């Protein structure tokens, strides 16, 4: 059909999250390796507006919509860079987990990264 497989949009969202963390000064893998914090997806949605075509250059705009010490929600816009057209939008919600997969609160030092105030 010449269009990108629909599940790739979820992969692009994951890349958007990783790049969001990197741009904010923290690599996601360091959060896991050094702090033992994992972000488990508990909900994911994607609204498809236009198809991405093979070999299109894709851009992903990622932002945090809501966060507290136990969860974070990211919103995404996936665009065709060449035509500046939004192809899809979506969101993912995550809870913070320990290495043994139990819910935990995000350590204080990472709360600014996710927009969590110290009063939450």
């Amino acid at each position: 059909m010449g269009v990108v497989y629909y599940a790739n949009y979820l992969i692009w969202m994951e890349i958007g999250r990783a790049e969001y963390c990197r741009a904010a000064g923290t690599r996601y893998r360091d959060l896991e390796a050094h702090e033992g914090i994992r972000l488990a997806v508990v909900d994911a949605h994607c609204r498809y507006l236009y198809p991405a075509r093979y070999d299109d250059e894709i851009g992903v705009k990622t932002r945090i919509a809501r966060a507290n010490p136990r969860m974070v929600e990211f919103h995404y816009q996936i665009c065709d860079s060449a035509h500046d057209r939004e192809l899809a939008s979506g969101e993912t919600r995550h809870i913070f987990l320990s290495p043994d997969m139990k819910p935990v609160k995000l350590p204080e030092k990472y709360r600014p990264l996710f927009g969590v105030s110290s009063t939450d």
Side-chain angles (χ1 to χ4, degrees):
M1 292 178 20
V3 297
V4 174
Y5 179 61
Y6 75 93
N8 285 330
Y9 291 78
L10 294 173
I11 294 168
W12 294 337
M13 290 179 194
E14 184 174 352
I15 292 168
R17 284 192 305 278
E19 291 303 317
Y20 178 93
C21 290
R22 184 185 320 278
T26 300
R27 294 184 312 173
Y28 178 77
R29 71 179 180 189
D30 290 342
L31 190 64
E32 284 189 351
H34 300 178
E35 301 294 334
I37 300 295
R38 280 100 171 110
L39 274 76
V41 176
V42 295
D43 195 24
H45 295 273
C46 187
R47 285 169 295 289
Y48 303 94
L49 305 170
Y50 295 96
R53 307 273 179 200
Y54 290 116
D55 208 31
D56 282 352
E57 185 176 323
I58 302 300
V60 180
K61 296 176 185 172
T62 306
R63 68 178 178 86
I64 292 178
R66 292 186 305 165
N68 64 50
R70 296 204 178 269
M71 63 77 66
V72 61
E73 183 176 314
F74 290 92
H75 284 197
Y76 313 89
Q77 284 182 292
I78 298 171
C79 301
D80 175 345
S81 298
H83 299 101
D84 196 30
R85 174 164 57 168
E86 185 177 2
L87 302 176
S89 63
E91 55 273 338
T92 56
R93 194 168 26 144
H94 308 255
I95 60 171
F96 300 109
L97 296 178
S98 66
D100 61 352
M101 306 303 272
K102 301 244 192 280
V104 296
K105 287 187 177 181
L106 183 66
E108 284 283 338
K109 74 179 188 178
Y110 290 105
R111 291 183 183 184
L113 170 71
F114 294 102
V116 178
S117 71
S118 58
T119 61
D120 286 332

